[in-house]
Amino acid sequence: MLVLITYDVNTETAAGRKRLRYVSKTCVNYGQRVQNSVFECNLDAATLRVVKDKLVKIIDAELDSLRFYELGNNYKSKVEHYGAKPSFDVTDPLIV
């Protein structure tokens, strides 16, 4: 299923900047960055639980925000894109 992960980490302190890097690096392992703090991830339910657990442990719940939007498997009709950074199919293989 397509999951949109968004976050806002308070970076006023060195600890906040460190949390931001950890959140970003964790998300990169599971999906594609589509905006600065937004990732599209194609995850099954078990992997989603793992990712949520990892990210919740990184953030400071008093200062930071983390959101998961589960768009499901029929997401293509729910996603529209305009402007820079052309759309892509998250189910296609990534060539590195």
Side-chain angles (χ1 to χ4, degrees):
M1 81 181 110
L2 183 68
V3 178
L4 197 65
I5 301 174
T6 68
Y7 55 87
D8 186 22
V9 177
N10 184 306
T11 58
E12 294 176 354
T13 65
R17 291 186 290 276
K18 185 176 181 180
R19 287 193 312 276
L20 177 64
R21 285 191 303 276
Y22 285 151
V23 168
S24 177
K25 287 180 180 181
T26 300
C27 288
V28 164
N29 291 330
Y30 294 96
Q32 175 75 26
R33 182 188 302 268
V34 293
Q35 291 186 0
N36 286 340
S37 298
V38 180
F39 283 80
E40 288 180 349
C41 306
N42 190 20
L43 307 171
D44 58 37
T47 306
L48 177 57
R49 283 191 300 273
V50 169
V51 174
K52 281 183 181 181
D53 186 55
K54 287 181 179 182
L55 292 173
V56 167
K57 288 178 180 175
I58 295 170
I59 68 163
D60 180 336
E62 297 294 319
L63 302 172
D64 308 330
S65 173
L66 180 62
R67 291 176 178 247
F68 298 87
Y69 298 90
E70 296 180 34
L71 299 178
N73 292 320
N74 297 320
Y75 62 88
K76 289 184 182 185
S77 65
K78 299 176 186 175
V79 177
E80 290 185 48
H81 174 263
Y82 303 94
K85 298 183 182 179
S87 294
F88 59 92
D89 187 346
V90 296
T91 61
D92 285 344
L94 294 176
I95 300 172
V96 180

